[in-house]
Amino acid sequence: MAVTCHVKYIIDPDKLDMFEHYAKLWLPLVAKFGGQHHGYFLPSEGANDVALALFSFPLLASYEQYREASVHDKECIAAFEYAKQHKFIRRYERSFMRPLLPE
């Protein structure tokens, strides 16, 4: 995989169960569009309002195609609406990285 998207979420810690449900919705959706999801990382020790997600696509252009297609996909729209309705994401930051893996 050539590009990994790192998303840092600031969430409402009182709605962690709702965020976890949201995360479970997205795990198969990334694969549906040709990506590989590496999982969500939820608060455990330390800050209780930070969650992370990592997923990869072969090219940045593949990620952009996924983003464009997701706004028209029925399952993605349902996930977006769930987040909007329950307001458990306060804000998020998206970064793109390339993996350096052991040889």
Side-chain angles (χ1 to χ4, degrees):
M1 295 290 175
V3 64
T4 298
C5 183
H6 169 274
V7 185
K8 177 182 177 182
Y9 295 94
I10 304 302
I11 61 172
D12 181 339
D14 294 327
K15 298 180 180 180
L16 180 58
D17 56 335
M18 292 178 189
F19 180 82
E20 186 169 344
H21 174 76
Y22 172 79
K24 288 178 180 177
L25 294 174
W26 279 105
L27 289 169
L29 292 175
V30 168
K32 177 180 178 177
F33 293 99
Q36 179 184 0
H37 213 299
H38 307 294
Y40 282 83
F41 300 84
L42 306 178
S44 178
E45 296 291 325
N48 69 349
D49 65 345
V50 176
L52 304 173
L54 293 167
F55 54 94
S56 298
F57 281 88
L59 303 165
L60 186 56
S62 303
Y63 168 80
E64 291 168 354
Q65 290 170 349
Y66 147 77
R67 291 283 293 168
E68 185 176 316
S70 70
V71 299
H72 303 291
D73 181 82
K74 185 172 62 172
E75 292 174 296
C76 294
I77 292 168
F80 291 135
E81 288 299 318
Y82 180 79
K84 185 177 177 180
Q85 176 186 4
H86 294 287
K87 299 179 178 9
F88 45 80
I89 299 172
R90 294 182 173 162
R91 67 178 166 35
Y92 65 93
E93 301 169 5
R94 187 180 304 126
S95 301
F96 297 93
M97 302 175 178
R98 61 179 176 82
L100 178 62
L101 303 172
E103 295 181 29

